[in-house]
Structures are given as C-alpha cells and as structure tokens.
Amino acid sequence: VQLQASGGGLVQAGESLRLSCVASGRTFSDSNMGWFRQAPGEAREFVAGIRWSDSSTYYVDSVKGRFTISRDNAKNTVYLQMNSLKPEDTAVYYCAADRDYVWSLSRDPGRYDYWGQGTLVTVSS
C-alpha cells in the first residue's frame, strides 16, 4: 500500500500549485483522506480533509478560501488546489488516509494509518 504525493515546488507569493496524491495497492474510496503539512521545527498540522461518505471538506482556518481538497475515486487520487499562496504556507505537504468507514474526519495525524512521502512547497515573498 502506497500513497505517492507530487506537485510541490518553488513559487512566488500569490501563485498557485496543485498537489496530487495517488494511492496504489488498495482503494481508498471508503477512507477519509487528509492533507497535512510540516514546516521546519514545527509539528505536523492538519491542512484539509475530505470524507469518504459524502465528500464533505474541512480546512484549517489559515487556508480557508484559498485551498480546495477534492478526490477522484476512479483514479484513486486526492488533490489539493492551493491558490494565493503565502510564504507561511512553506512546508512539506503529506497526504494521509484513515482506515475504512470511519465516520468522523479527524484532524489528528496520529489517527491516520497510511502516509505519503511528502512533497515540498516553498513560497517566496
């Protein structure tokens, strides 16, 4: 089972990036999926999540209105569209999957069973 995150890079403030997370080895259509990020010296924090049951989405306040999480179950892929990027968005971004059929979407990284390797997003001012 593997989650492969990609799409990071170096951009200027105000620009956009789209991250992708492709799952292989099993389907995650019945799993809540999340994006987390970790800046140097900081704890890993929840950024966005999407529920398996109804595709409800959840965001940390600092990215609301700028980031959009979505999923394509046919492609076993989760996306994070990031617009109006700010220098404080600089971090390694990780995708993660919870176990199947968990009703509540968790913002706690310790609740997620599967993790991608991370993709670096650097936003210059």
Side-chain angles (χ1 to χ4, degrees):
V1 178
Q2 188 175 19
L3 298 177
Q4 182 74 34
S6 63
L10 172 62
V11 297
Q12 293 188 335
E15 295 184 338
S16 300
L17 282 174
R18 188 176 82 153
L19 305 183
S20 299
C21 175
V22 181
S24 60
R26 57 160 284 180
T27 177
F28 286 98
S29 59
D30 299 320
S31 301
N32 295 329
M33 302 293 293
W35 283 98
F36 294 78
R37 65 187 179 187
Q38 188 167 18
E42 302 288 333
R44 191 168 297 189
E45 69 165 346
F46 173 85
V47 176
I50 185 165
R51 286 174 60 178
W52 66 271
S53 57
D54 59 3
S55 292
S56 296
T57 57
Y58 303 83
Y59 300 92
V60 67
D61 286 348
S62 60
V63 309
K64 284 181 181 177
R66 300 188 298 122
F67 290 12
T68 303
I69 187 172
S70 61
R71 66 193 302 163
D72 184 338
N73 289 335
K75 296 182 178 179
N76 227 13
T77 301
V78 177
Y79 304 97
L80 185 67
Q81 177 67 43
M82 305 186 296
N83 299 329
S84 302
L85 282 161
K86 303 176 180 180
E88 51 263 43
D89 295 318
T90 295
V92 177
Y93 283 71
Y94 299 89
C95 60
D98 203 341
R99 295 164 292 146
D100 285 352
Y101 308 120
V102 175
W103 184 250
S104 298
L105 187 137
S106 176
R107 297 172 183 243
D108 178 2
R111 286 284 305 276
Y112 287 75
D113 287 354
Y114 304 95
W115 289 86
Q117 85 288 2
T119 184
L120 177 61
V121 172
T122 304
V123 184
S124 62
S125 58

